[in-house]
Amino acid sequence: MLAPMKPAPKPAATKGKSAREANGTKSGGAGATPLHIQVRDAIRSQVREGKLIDADGRLMPEAELVKHFGVSRITIRHAIQPLVEEGMFARERGRGTFLKSNEPENWLGRLMGFSETIRDAGFEPGARILHQGMTNAHDDAVREALHERAVWELKRVRLADATPIAIEHAFYPPDIGLELEKRDLVSILMYRVFEEELGLTIKEASQSISATLADEATAGLLGVASGDPLLAMERLTVATDGRPLELLRSVYLPDYFRFSINLTRRA
């Protein structure tokens, strides 16, 4: 899950500018972007910088946002609602509006693909395809996990707001891969395609997480130095009938991800 964002001091209004201009919104004539959309984009941007939220991820109350942006309460409401609908924020009755990415993912209970996780955290997911197609040039672990001699593979650089933050190397049984090949692999929501288009019911996934170091090729793709630390993950997803559906190997920039597991001690 994306790491929590730390709060930052509220920006002061710039002398000689209106509150709207100081906080990234402007009024304009015909053809100008509607004010509530400007405010929505400003909220999205400032929250990503750690502004407008407290240490618990609670968004600044409406009345304070009105003062902060110099707009009406209805404009604030129209700005926030789409952010709630797309999953960036969640409203809790009696408590306020909270940044959903402020809660670490419980890896014992939620199975989410990269795009779902990134969008849930308020970023725009994307991908750059490095390779796709059938192959039998894979290691024994892939062969044993998927029970296939030849598999369909997909290797992508994964993006958050156009910034490379991960590399995913996925392997699929041939029949599934050939179906995926017909789809837009840049914006695909893989698990939704499995369930809603291919009629595959996912039962569970087993996942292991470890630390690794960036080699030269990986470093170049992610914009880091060779030898920099990365998080490595391997996940095997299976259907309700026990059939393996996907073996996914990924590396992530640690600045963007953290993992949380609930532990109990036996009495």
Side-chain angles (χ1 to χ4, degrees):
M1 191 68 175
L2 292 179
M5 303 175 189
K6 296 181 180 180
K10 186 188 297 184
T14 303
K15 186 176 181 179
K17 292 185 178 182
S18 68
R20 291 178 185 175
E21 292 173 317
N23 291 291
T25 60
K26 299 178 181 178
S27 57
T33 303
L35 189 55
H36 72 278
I37 295 179
Q38 295 183 52
V39 173
R40 180 195 66 194
D41 293 343
I43 290 173
R44 190 198 305 273
S45 176
Q46 291 181 37
V47 165
R48 288 173 186 167
E49 295 172 0
K51 304 171 184 175
L52 307 182
I53 56 174
D54 63 19
D56 295 322
R58 182 176 182 272
L59 182 64
M60 187 183 291
E62 279 186 5
E64 292 183 31
L65 289 170
V66 165
K67 294 178 182 178
H68 182 76
F69 289 106
V71 297
S72 68
R73 188 179 291 265
I74 192 66
T75 296
I76 293 297
R77 289 177 179 172
H78 285 166
I80 293 174
Q81 184 58 34
L83 300 178
V84 173
E85 292 172 355
E86 71 185 38
M88 182 175 183
F89 290 104
R91 287 197 172 106
E92 297 185 20
R93 181 170 295 183
R95 296 191 63 215
T97 300
F98 288 81
L99 181 66
K100 290 182 71 175
S101 63
N102 218 58
E103 292 297 326
E105 183 169 349
N106 179 346
W107 290 93
L108 294 177
R110 299 174 66 194
L111 175 58
M112 298 174 67
F114 179 92
S115 292
E116 292 172 306
T117 302
I118 291 298
R119 184 168 289 130
D120 195 41
F123 293 84
E124 183 61 33
R128 187 167 71 250
I129 298 172
L130 300 175
H131 175 75
Q132 68 179 84
M134 291 295 301
T135 181
N136 58 10
H138 50 272
D139 57 56
D140 290 341
V142 174
R143 189 174 293 109
E144 292 172 8
L146 296 182
H147 307 152
E148 299 281 357
R149 280 186 158 184
V151 298
W152 192 86
E153 67 176 331
L154 174 63
K155 190 171 185 179
R156 298 177 291 174
V157 176
R158 301 313 309 264
L159 313 173
D161 285 352
T163 299
I165 66 170
I167 298 173
E168 290 185 335
H169 196 178
F171 304 88
Y172 303 90
D175 60 316
I176 294 176
L178 295 176
E179 283 295 328
L180 297 177
E181 199 169 52
K182 303 173 185 177
R183 291 161 172 81
D184 181 0
L185 297 173
V186 171
S187 60
I188 190 171
L189 297 176
M190 194 67 70
Y191 295 148
R192 290 190 187 179
V193 169
F194 279 6
E195 296 171 326
E196 297 174 10
E197 299 180 27
L198 302 185
L200 302 169
T201 304
I202 297 173
K203 178 184 179 183
E204 61 187 8
S206 57
Q207 179 167 284
S208 62
I209 302 164
S210 60
T212 190
L213 301 176
D215 58 26
E216 284 192 22
T218 300
L221 291 169
L222 294 180
V224 298
S226 180
D228 276 2
L230 301 172
L231 282 175
M233 181 273 287
E234 181 168 302
R235 175 192 294 169
L236 178 64
T237 302
V238 298
T240 50
D241 62 2
R243 183 193 183 195
L245 302 177
E246 175 192 63
L247 178 65
L248 177 64
R249 294 171 174 172
S250 307
V251 290
Y252 303 93
L253 295 182
D255 290 347
Y256 282 81
F257 290 85
R258 69 170 182 167
F259 302 95
S260 177
I261 301 173
N262 293 325
L263 302 175
T264 58
R265 182 176 173 83
R266 288 186 295 179

